[in-house]
Amino acid sequence: MYLTVRNATKLYGSFTALDDVSISIEQGEFVCLLGPSGCGKTTLLRLIAGLTDIDSGEVTLEGESLSGLPARKRGFGIVFQSYSLFPNMTIAENIGYGLKIRDTPVNQINTRVTELLDLIKLPQIADKFPGQLSGGQQQRVALARAIAVDPRVLLLDEPLSALDAKVRGDLRDEILQLQRALGIPTLMVTHDQEEALALADKIICMNQGAVVQAGTPKELYQKPATRFVADFMGTSNLIKTEVIRSFMPELLGMRPEGDDELYDACIRPEAIKIEPNVNGDALVKSIGFLGNLSKIKLESTLGDLIVEVHGAIDLEENQNVSLQINPADCNWVLNDAVETAS
Ligand code: ATP
């Protein structure tokens, strides 16, 4: 393991922002810290960066403890949500800043800055000032500044969230290309599950100061461990065991042992197949056509369901349909709703 956080706890007064958190990042890996606002993502990132003190626990890099090592000596590159460029320096000076304070010779700085401007596809802007650039361009420069010093780890704190949708999508792809090309181990904080699914080799899903589940995007989407993860990773139909037992007992085959209250069924909207059937016991309540897919809301014996199909669907409101669900697409998730609501 390249970077680890072991049993990190952080209190603000009597409020526990991080509660015994352990995570790891492998060499070259792109890891996303995903969770709702206030769950402790930024605190964890700052603690790794050395910008926030840890109360207990440890951060290690290549097996060595970083305890007591100040942020500037950790050799990490950081990009924040808001464009944190120096407004009175040119773009070239911004990108070269880290090298300059390390006493790098001027000709080497210039070569590196030119190389990085090419890499972020903005070769013409060396002499401009941050205020003359768009938000997306400023974030590209912030990224170039962070990687200029060949950081041992790249830390990104919601770098895309202040940008509009189109720019965000483009820059997301570019960040991934850059990370892949350079192989820098990267930890990115986000509350956007689509972003995490698109970028991450590993997603660490957090809630209320704790890690709830860590795994590949596919694992978290297809095999969420808890109701919270299921809900956070996308649209889910979450159904109580007793309801499944009454109306679709064939889905119980894969259920882990345990009381009915312990596990709920999580069925993704694309896993439910529907067919018009006058005797079907589900009723179409609404159909939303979104171009590439249709979202159908149903009333059924399993409760209200959301179903998604590719493209358009030939159905009408108030039409009866029958449901088909493959038992393998019925995931059993720990019912942590009571815990997370408290
Ligand atoms: P967001 O996406 O909103 O930034 P986050 O998951 O990054 O959320 P943190 O910024 O890590 O969350 O904050 C976690 C909790 O700790 C929040 O409830 C926040 O109010 C609290 N907190 C953070 N910094 C401080 C501080 N300096 N003093 C007191 N409380 C703080």
Side-chain angles (χ1 to χ4, degrees), residues 279-293:
N279 299 317
D281 48 16
L283 189 70
V284 176
K285 296 306 290 178
S286 69
I287 305 165
F289 177 59
L290 303 173
N292 62 331
L293 60 86

Side-chain angles (χ1 to χ4, degrees), residues 2 5 59 73 137 310:
Y2 185 70
V5 177
V59 182
K73 293 204 171 151
Q137 289 171 329
H310 276 300

Side-chain angles (χ1 to χ4, degrees), residues 163-177:
L163 306 171
D164 66 51
K166 169 80 171 79
V167 179
R168 194 161 66 220
D170 290 348
L171 194 50
R172 183 178 82 185
D173 296 344
E174 281 173 36
I175 287 180
L176 187 59
Q177 278 176 23

Side-chain angles (χ1 to χ4, degrees), residues 27 48 71 81 95 107 109 111 128 139 143 176 202 232-233 237 248 266-267 271 286 304-305 312 322-323 337 341:
Q27 184 63 270
I48 293 169
Q81 173 181 352
I95 296 176
N107 61 337
I109 297 181
T111 308
K128 294 199 172 185
Q139 279 307 64
L143 201 60
L176 187 59
K202 180 165 81 194
F232 204 77
M233 294 306 302
N237 295 293
M248 277 204 181
C266 162
I267 304 166
S286 69
D304 291 343
L305 296 176
S322 57
L323 305 178

